[in-house]
Amino acid sequence: MVLEGAIAEEVITNNLKQFLLVLSVSLGVATLPQIFSWFRQIPYTLLLVIVGLGLAFADVRLVILSPELILFIFLPPLLFEAAWNLKWSELKRDLVPICLYAVLGVLITIAGVAIALNQFVAVSLTTALLIAASLSATDPVSVTALFRELGVGSRLVTLMEGESLFNDGMAVVAFGFLVSFSLRTVELEFQPILVELFTVVGIGIAVGAFIGFGISYLTQRFDLPLVEQSLTLVSAYGTYLIIEDLGGSGVIGVVTTGLILGNFGSRIGMNPRTRVIVSEFWEFLAFFVNSIVFLLIGDQIRFASVGDNLQIILVTVGAMILMRAVAIFILSKLSTSITKAEITLPDQTILWWGGLRGSVSIALALSVPTILPEREKIIATVFGVVLFTLLVQGLTIKPLLEKLNLLGDAPLREEYLELVARNVALERVLQHLQADKRPGIDPEFRRYQGKLLEGELANLQTKINKLQTEYPNLQSFTTEQFRGELLAIEADTYAEFVKSGRLNKELASLLEDVFQNGYEK
């Protein structure tokens, strides 16, 4: 008994040391762009992959990745954070193309990649299908982070993130079917697959919605920021585990819960301060988890294994890029014919080239049963392809954005907002100076300070007017910001009435109108 306790204690100590080592390296990489300005040209997540590759080359293995570690520990918070921050109004606007990319796009990728592997490098159909299914889910974390940094249009971000959230679930379901087919436990027939697909997705949506709305109405009854923050964390992991146990898609369930809590629950059940606290918590957690995941992706590469399967990897990369192009350009045209809302060719190009693969693909490959004869070939191929998409596609997405003139005006907006903030701050200082009549202050000092403030305010106003004249788009940006503030005030007022019992909770659907429709522009 004592021996078992000592062994358990040793295991815990070693795991803690490994965790702290990974965390230390990740945080060390995070500081590099602050010390060396050149590193700012590389997205943070890709910098982690490169450092991980360096460790792998030196044969330093920090932690052994397992599918359970990715799917049950890393994936739920990443899905929840993305869904929490995804605006339902924007998602609803582009739900048709997102669903087409996430469902038909996955099927096109699986079919095209599997056929190419089977025909060109004589990979068995079973192995080819498993490789294709593993790589059918996109993971554009580094791309969307770059989009936000550069101020790329919100619609492109929504399309990219929305597709990624939903195709993760589709890929996991498809992979499960193909594993069962490989083990000869099911037959690949259309009707049973369709029924099973609707069952898995239906359980995910139903349970996810139940948990999301349940927590939304529960948080109306109290105002405890730390408890409400903890509830969101519990809901992310709890939803995933419960739905997986029920035979549904935990991925779809977490996305559903995150969307409801982010767009509905945080409005009717949380005051503005609590919403900020919870949002900042999830921003930190996503940064924390992504830092570990991308570092470990690089660190897990086995160069010898990748070299042995280089031909298969190259064929897979070519087929995947081709099938991605087929899916994006054809399905975008189909979406336009259905919704009459065109997705521009430059946007389609970025969606095509920005379809990186990441942690979900690796988790699926690692979860291939050990009894399948070509498991190591599947893992090596998937790792090689993921590495290509992260380094080649990930590092070239910014030049492509520049070439297509899709870079936003984020630096300009930041400068404008700083000027506006300073203007408001100095106006408040001037008001305080004029209102404060306390004795003992030299009147000449007051007049001098007042003149300084008035001069600085006049200078700031000149700069603001100049920016607005030179860049007319700032006017619409300012108007949209102000409109968002008005909507937030209205929503907070409804939430206050609901929490105090002066508004029936059935009427909380008013919030949906506020954030979907807003005021007439």
Side-chain angles (χ1 to χ4, degrees), residues 5-18:
I7 293 173
E9 185 178 342
E10 181 68 22
V11 169
I12 293 172
T13 302
N14 288 335
N15 288 340
L16 182 59
K17 288 178 179 177
Q18 285 182 314

Side-chain angles (χ1 to χ4, degrees), residues 68 111 459:
E68 293 78 18
N459 185 38

Side-chain angles (χ1 to χ4, degrees), residues 231-242:
L231 275 174
T232 60
L233 181 62
V234 171
S235 69
Y237 283 105
T239 299
Y240 190 92
L241 295 173
I242 290 169

Side-chain angles (χ1 to χ4, degrees), residues 86 90-91 93-99 101-102 138 140 144 147 153-167 324 328 332 335 341-344 347-348 351:
L86 196 60
E90 295 179 359
L91 179 64
R93 179 190 62 196
D94 287 313
L95 197 58
V96 170
I98 286 171
C99 288
Y101 298 152
T138 57
T144 52
F147 283 0
S154 62
R155 189 187 187 198
L156 190 53
V157 177
T158 300
L159 286 168
M160 191 80 83
E161 281 197 329
E163 179 201 0
S164 175
L165 285 174
F166 290 108
N167 73 11
R324 176 76 178 169
I328 292 297
S332 295
S335 169
E342 184 182 7
I343 301 171
T344 64
D347 281 355
Q348 292 179 43
L351 287 170

